[in-house]
Structure formats: C-alpha cells, structure tokens
Amino acid sequence: MPTWSLVSICVLLCIVVRWGVSLNSYSGAGKPPMFGDYEAQRHWQEVTYNLPPQEWYFNTTDNDLNYWGLDYPPLTAYHSWICAYIAKTINPDWVELHKSRGYESPSHKLFMRATVLVADLLIYIPAVVLYCLYLTDGSSKKKVSTLLCFLLYPGLILIDYGHFQYNGVSQGFALWGVLALGLGWDVSGSMAFSLALNYKQMELYHALPFFCYLLGKCVKLGLMGKGLFLLVRIAVTVLVTFALCWLPFLSDPHQALQVVRRIFPVARGLFEVRTFISS
C-alpha cells in the first residue's frame, strides 16, 4: 500500500480515537462553583469576546481573576477570541458576559470538543505527519509506525479530549519549529517556536534545546561572518514575532507587566507557579 494511503489511514484513525474520547465527560462537569478546565476555556472565550484586550488580564467588575482569570500568553487569548466569535454566531448564550458562567449543554460540549479537533487538524497533526515523513530515519513502514505512535499518544489525547485543553496547539507550533530546523529553515523554526511560547508558557521546557542548537549553529558558521548574519536574522524574527503577539499590550508598560504577572504568578507562591506551568 502506498505510503500516503497508510498516512491517511493513520490520520483517520487518530481522528476517530480523539472524537471517541471526547464523547465522554470532561473535567469539572456539573461541579460548581469552578466546574473545571472546560469552564476555564469557555470563560476565556466569554472574557475575550466581551471585553477589550486591555482588560483581559486585569481584575475588574466584569473580569473576576479569581474565577478562572486568564493566565496564558496572548496567543491563547486570541485563539479564545476566535472560538468565541464562532460561538457567538451559533448561540450567544454560550459567551454572554456574566450570565454564561458555568454554562453546560450537549450542543456546547459538541462545539468545544470540535474546537480542539479543528486546532489539531490545522496545527498539530500536519506537523506530526511531515516530521515523521521527512525527519525520521528508516523505511516507509517504520515512518508510518512512528507516525501512529505520535498520533495515538494517550497522554495528549486524554488531557485535550478527556480533561479538556488545547495542548496540541503549543506542541504543534513547537514541532513545526523542530521540523523547520531539521530542514535548515532556522528563521522559520525560530518563528514557529516563538508562537509556541506565546501560546503556552509550558513550552519554556523546550526553549533551552532550541536556544543551544541555534546558537551552536551560529558559532559553527562563525560569529564574524555568516553565523553573525544568521544570529541577527533569528533575533529579529523572534523580537518581531513577540512584538506582534503582544502588540495590544505594548502601548502601556503597566499593561505588559500585568500580562507577565499573570503568566508567571510568582507573587502567588512557587507551588502555584510549579503546578500552573505543568498544567
């Protein structure tokens, strides 16, 4: 059987498994007052749709940070806003300010589960397919086997489709970065990993390998020649990517600092930082 036919079967199988898991319950279902991570993601949609970006990370009368306050980087907030815009079109009750708190229904669950699957289809799954086909060694059979292991990894499936999160987005961006570096597209890889960092700060775990690889390549090329030019291009790409992601918050230093405080809640204790980053 042709390789791409096997790849298609693997992708279809991973979609079926993901959707099958998503048919079950989710974190905090029917458990007020906080409900769980499902409600956290829904609440972020409510906040980002109804409030201006300048209020997303601040405690106000319309944004109680003690109730699932937004504490992920800006790219997550933009993703929530896109999902909220679609949700508003389907059923305004899903993201109605204040009144939608703790909203649960079969149709809303279907919508939320679909947003996770669509994100995987757009970002994570294509990255996995291309990585396995172009950056893994061995025969076509071995590459397809590796692909199947990637796509059916139970940890990610259970967290995203059972518990409810969007880890596939940040890991997908990171994998796009690895793929680009493996193909020699260092600038594109830097941009992809910057997007991963701006989606979820958990990707800081992977920052050191990226940094060491790129710096080592620049040194190997020579810091007085091609290596310096590559280093400047990478630095500019990273700065521009971060600047674009943080653009709504850069006009006021207080805004940017508040986002940083929410992303890295050091003031709330080291234990919370550890549990938060690992979530």
Side-chain angles (χ1 to χ4, degrees):
M1 186 177 292
T3 301
W4 279 106
S5 297
L6 293 173
V7 169
S8 300
I9 292 174
C10 289
V11 171
L12 288 174
L13 179 60
C14 91
I15 292 174
V16 170
V17 171
R18 280 165 162 76
W19 195 251
V21 172
S22 73
L23 295 177
N24 292 282
S25 189
Y26 49 83
S27 167
K31 297 179 180 179
M34 299 303 287
F35 296 96
D37 274 2
Y38 175 95
E39 167 63 9
Q41 300 291 342
R42 188 217 59 79
H43 180 64
W44 292 354
Q45 294 176 21
E46 171 194 346
V47 168
T48 54
Y49 185 84
N50 291 287
L51 302 178
Q54 291 73 22
E55 295 184 22
W56 290 351
Y57 292 91
F58 281 89
N59 194 58
T60 66
T61 54
D62 289 327
N63 186 24
D64 181 7
L65 293 183
N66 290 321
Y67 184 79
W68 296 120
L70 185 59
D71 48 14
Y72 277 14
L75 207 56
T76 288
Y78 305 147
H79 180 205
S80 296
W81 180 86
I82 293 172
C83 292
Y85 188 88
I86 299 172
K88 179 75 172 181
T89 303
I90 299 173
N91 187 344
D93 292 342
W94 294 350
V95 290
E96 187 176 359
L97 190 62
H98 301 308
K99 294 183 179 180
S100 62
R101 179 174 291 195
Y103 190 98
E104 293 178 308
S105 74
S107 59
H108 184 253
K109 176 189 172 185
L110 179 65
F111 167 76
M112 293 290 282
R113 294 300 199 188
T115 62
V116 181
L117 183 60
V118 169
D120 271 7
L121 288 171
L122 292 176
I123 299 173
Y124 180 73
I125 293 176
V128 172
V129 170
L130 293 176
Y131 173 83
C132 291
L133 291 182
Y134 292 105
L135 291 188
T136 57
D137 298 323
S139 63
S140 297
K141 183 178 179 180
K142 184 177 180 180
K143 291 182 177 182
V144 172
S145 299
T146 303
L147 172 65
L148 193 61
C149 291
F150 258 104
L151 294 179
L152 294 182
Y153 173 59
L156 183 61
I157 294 175
L158 290 175
I159 290 294
D160 281 10
Y161 291 85
H163 178 76
F164 198 91
Q165 287 195 19
Y166 295 95
N167 289 293
V169 176
S170 60
Q171 292 193 17
F173 279 133
L175 193 54
W176 276 110
V178 172
L179 178 65
L181 297 187
L183 296 175
W185 303 338
D186 300 318
V187 173
S188 297
S190 301
M191 181 180 68
F193 186 66
S194 295
L195 292 174
L197 284 172
N198 277 286
Y199 190 87
K200 195 167 187 178
Q201 60 271 48
M202 183 183 70
E203 288 304 321
L204 282 170
Y205 290 146
H206 305 137
L208 188 58
F210 271 85
F211 175 79
C212 291
Y213 173 83
L214 290 170
L215 181 60
K217 185 170 185 178
C218 292
V219 172
K220 187 176 181 180
L221 290 174
L223 290 178
M224 298 303 292
K226 292 182 178 180
L228 178 60
F229 180 62
L230 177 60
L231 182 62
V232 171
R233 290 172 60 204
I234 291 173
V236 170
T237 299
V238 171
L239 290 173
V240 169
T241 303
F242 268 79
L244 291 174
C245 289
W246 287 65
L247 192 60
F249 314 101
L250 295 180
S251 59
D252 183 357
H254 184 54
Q255 285 276 339
L257 187 59
Q258 175 65 6
V259 178
V260 174
R261 289 196 191 100
R262 292 298 301 169
I263 295 173
F264 302 106
V266 177
R268 286 181 268 163
L270 293 177
F271 178 75
E272 181 168 351
V273 175
R274 183 191 68 79
T275 56
F276 171 77
I277 292 179
S278 62
S279 67

